[in-house]
Amino acid sequence: MATCSCEINACVLCEERLYPGLTKEQVCQIRERLIRELYAPHEVLFREGDPAVFLFALRSGQLKLTSSMPDGRQQILRIAVAGQLLGIETFKGQRYPFTAEALTDVVACKISHDDLRQILAGSPAIALRVIETLSQELDQTESLIRDLGLKTAPEKVSSFLLSLIPQRGDPGAELPLRLSRREIAEMLGLTEETVSRVMADFARKKIIGSGKGYIRILDRKWLEETNGVENKASSTERRAQSGHS
Amino acid sequence: MATCSCEINACVLCEERLYPGLTKEQVCQIRERLIRELYAPHEVLFREGDPAVFLFALRSGQLKLTSSMPDGRQQILRIAVAGQLLGIETFKGQRYPFTAEALTDVVACKISHDDLRQILAGSPAIALRVIETLSQELDQTESLIRDLGLKTAPEKVSSFLLSLIPQRGDPGAELPLRLSRREIAEMLGLTEETVSRVMADFARKKIIGSGKGYIRILDRKWLEETNGVENKASSTERRAQSGHS
DNA sequence: ACGGGATATTGATCTGCATCAATATTCACC
DNA sequence: GGTGAATATTGATGCAGATCAATATCCCGT
């Protein structure tokens, strides 16, 4: 039949335009393999070490992906945003390598590995889309490595703050901050005290304005210089500004 | 025609069995888009910030992927091994996000983004293969984040040493060590002095034996405990504070 | 509006690793 | 096999950020 009741499942895997060569029937067959799920903030989609049965296509909202050590130390690997595919690291693996926890209300489509594999085998357009998503995730992850491996605490925080700025939209507007100090610390490899101190310092210097649950970037240029990634022209005297003693 | 002279280009993208639905002619057409290249140790395939024209499929050898800050601080993002695809992060991007430098003799197949896109659009088997590779790279990168973000120097070095052990083969054998102390440090977010000290300490404790250009794992279990990933209650169980959220 | 737990700020001190420094070893090349 | 440059080891000292500690503030349910 030409219609089915699966529209509610709309996500990165089920937009009709991704299947140019397929009939509506076939598209519906694909869609029926997807299970739409809703999660509230703090809900866990899956835990590190669990058998990896499903993948998740994130339709809306944000997740944090964390890995922890037996003694309780925890690291945020990445913040997943709408459009990304979760758990693809287990494409050939057995267990989820991280815990996925909702930061906001989340809508996600769940699908089994085997089903995804079949869909990919039959639809190059979807496969391309997945490759693009994975590329983006890899890029995002590599950026975090840069931050963790060679930046000082203020540089890390600058980097983090800059990452909050949306590509489109007013950069001077209030930006929602969904992570606690502890979570920011867990992302940047710092302690919450250090994050708090650095952000207080930034606020004192009028680099940012901070309220509860949001921040406002007041001096983006300063952050971009402090975060260290930008222009290589002023490389020589750069290090002077880092600590004020 | 049924034969062409492109066999020399064999790599992850050009194994015939990956194109089950295609004729030999078509496979040869794909292969002709690939350019095989050879690199000696220390040769650079491309530099961070260069316009990203080509992707590289690594056929044999190892590469280090590095990113550096204007003041010279440098971070190894990942060691790429045979089978991986390089520069896919730029699938939609403009510039390489890292420098790729050969650690060993390297054979790689070079291909333009557009050509790869066409191949992927026409061959789901290849696309699946690329997805698997990307998954592996993402997993590898996430592991490094764990090391960088929440491990101490000895834990980092343990982690690194364990990563040298091949899946198959005698774990007690001499393992080739292609990275200098400085490079190990650049990978783990340490200094070369610290790496040297930790490794000297490990050698003193008979955890490893070290010679020129190789190391030998003498006490793998100890490393696995020290690296912290497995269950370890021996040293500090008092820190575990069951704080969920 | 109140009380109590979670989260954040701020201060004082400690420490793991960086930094600075001085050899020691290996390697490349003639 | 000797000479110098790159790499590695080892020691001494310093500091950024962790840790410990004491409020302060927010948040939510009743």
Side-chain angles (χ1 to χ4, degrees), chain A residues 165-226:
Chain A
I165 301 177
Q167 304 58 344
R168 285 286 180 202
D170 177 17
E174 287 186 357
L175 304 172
L177 181 58
R178 308 183 185 294
L179 299 181
S180 68
R181 295 291 187 267
R182 168 174 289 280
E183 287 170 319
I184 297 171
E186 282 171 354
M187 180 151 179
L188 300 177
L190 298 171
T191 58
E192 57 183 315
E193 292 97 325
T194 297
V195 172
S196 194
R197 274 183 249 269
V198 171
M199 291 194 43
D201 186 50
F202 283 5
R204 228 172 284 123
K205 291 173 177 164
K206 306 292 183 211
I207 308 303
I208 60 170
S210 75
K212 45 203 162 175
Y214 73 92
I215 62 123
R216 188 190 290 272
I217 308 282
L218 301 176
D219 192 345
R220 181 174 180 166
K221 184 151 293 182
W222 190 92
L223 287 178
E224 283 166 348
E225 281 162 8
T226 303

Side-chain angles (χ1 to χ4, degrees), chain B residues 152-153 190-191 193-194 197:
Chain B
T152 64
L190 298 171
T191 59
E193 293 96 324
T194 298
R197 274 183 249 270

Side-chain angles (χ1 to χ4, degrees), chain A residues 150-168:
Chain A
L150 38 81
K151 290 187 180 176
T152 64
E155 286 169 343
K156 286 175 175 180
V157 174
S158 289
S159 220
F160 170 77
L161 291 170
L162 287 170
S163 77
L164 296 176
I165 301 177
Q167 304 58 344
R168 285 286 180 202

Side-chain angles (χ1 to χ4, degrees), chain A residues 44-58:
Chain A
V44 168
L45 280 73
F46 52 83
R47 285 188 190 281
E48 183 175 14
D50 285 353
V53 183
F54 292 102
L55 289 104
F56 294 78
L58 184 53

